[in-house]
Amino acid sequence: QVQLVESGGGLVQAGDSLRLSCAASGRTFSTYTMGWFRQAPGKEREFVAYISWSGYTYYADSVKGRFTISRDNAKNTVSLQMNDLKPEDTAVYYCAADPTRSNTDYRTYNYWGRGTQVTVSS
């Protein structure tokens, strides 16, 4: 089985930083694209960032230059370093895994964590 568990969320002030982590378990990990998504109250789930098996990264325009996604295949983890947080970053953040392709569409991701809350006050 494959399981993803997020951690690192919390309550911070605008301009602060947080680092989210996602621990993965299962037979394979290194070949998966790993993504971060978020969902704010009253809004659809939106793409944040992904990192491919080869280390290629891609970011939503709203977080580009502020967030950094990384992975450690030896430890089966993926992280999201979030700097200069803004109130509009407030959401539940989910990590997800796609074993076949890299995409910004949440519907292509096969495995999901349960989410971690990030709240940014102004």
Side-chain angles (χ1 to χ4, degrees), residues 104-117:
T104 61
D105 188 349
Y106 73 90
R107 294 172 294 180
T108 71
Y109 287 77
N110 301 89
Y111 307 105
W112 292 85
R114 299 182 71 87
T116 185
Q117 177 70 48

Side-chain angles (χ1 to χ4, degrees), residues 5-6 13 26 28 31 45 47-48 52 66 68 72 80 86-87 90 92 99 108 115:
V5 181
E6 303 98 335
Q13 294 184 343
T28 61
T31 62
R45 187 167 301 186
F47 167 77
V48 176
S52 74
R66 299 188 297 121
T68 302
D72 186 339
L80 185 70
K86 305 176 184 298
T90 295
V92 176
T108 71

Side-chain angles (χ1 to χ4, degrees), residues 23-46:
S25 62
R27 289 185 175 181
T28 61
F29 175 76
S30 61
T31 62
Y32 286 25
T33 292
M34 300 296 297
W36 285 96
F37 294 79
R38 66 188 183 187
Q39 188 164 19
K43 294 189 176 183
E44 296 290 309
R45 187 167 301 186
E46 67 173 338

Side-chain angles (χ1 to χ4, degrees), residues 7 34 45 64 71-72 74 98 102 112 118 122:
S7 62
M34 300 296 297
R45 187 167 301 186
K64 195 174 301 180
R71 67 192 299 162
D72 186 339
D98 186 336
S102 299
W112 292 85
V118 173
S122 58

